Amino acid sequence: MKKTKTIVTVGMMAAVLAILSIVQIPGPTGVPFTLQVFAVALCGYVLGWKLGALAVIIYVLLGTVGVPVFAGMTAGPGVLVSVAGGFIWGFILQAIGCGLFVHKKFGNKILRIVCLAVGGAVGAALCEILGAVTMCTAGGMTYGAALVYNFAAFYPLDLVKTMLALAVSLPIRAGLRKASLFD
């Protein structure tokens, strides 16, 4: 029974990521502004690093085989090597960063929140770094310019979305535990 609950919960979070990827605001480099970062962070914070990364991997696989789950309802392997492709790969690392300390026991609630926030900030930074790779290979930018752009244009907003996901995840995890869907 526990395996079934885990499968359903991971699938539900992959679906949340797909749904929050639909709405996009076009960006000047071809990389849109979306709620994907919020959803990826939520996957990590709710599920922990292993299952959070699994939910994102499922999302990536669905998009790769043609299910229109990427930003703006796009799909296919070409998206993974497009200007935005590095961010999609980076989502896996972001989920790991957000979920890294979820299952750790802390004596102090403030220390726990700080560790979760730092893990999320590092995960978001790794996503920006990977995003810069395809921005330069597919978008013609230099790697340095892509990094500067990502950390100036995306990272501050991504930090806000990551911290909002952290705040939202706490009652979600509590509710899932109460419903016996989580340990």
Side-chain angles (χ1 to χ4, degrees), residues 21-45:
S21 296
I22 293 172
V23 177
Q24 65 177 354
I25 299 170
T29 62
V31 178
F33 292 87
T34 69
L35 289 177
Q36 288 168 303
V37 169
F38 173 81
V40 168
L42 198 60
C43 287
Y45 286 135

Side-chain angles (χ1 to χ4, degrees), residues 58-151:
I58 290 168
Y59 164 81
V60 173
L61 290 173
L62 286 170
T64 302
V65 300
V67 179
V69 295
F70 296 144
M73 298 187 72
T74 59
V79 177
L80 298 176
V81 293
S82 72
V83 182
F87 293 97
I88 296 171
W89 293 112
F91 291 158
I92 298 168
L93 296 178
Q94 182 190 359
I96 291 170
C98 290
L100 200 56
F101 299 107
V102 166
H103 298 295
K104 302 284 185 211
K105 302 294 181 207
F106 292 93
N108 183 321
K109 286 185 177 187
I110 293 174
L111 178 61
R112 180 174 190 269
I113 298 298
V114 167
C115 287
L116 289 169
V118 169
V122 169
L126 291 172
C127 189
E128 306 301 348
I129 291 167
L130 279 179
V133 171
T134 53
M135 286 179 78
C136 80
T137 58
M141 296 177 81
T142 66
Y143 188 68
L147 277 176
V148 168
Y149 180 80
N150 287 355
F151 279 95

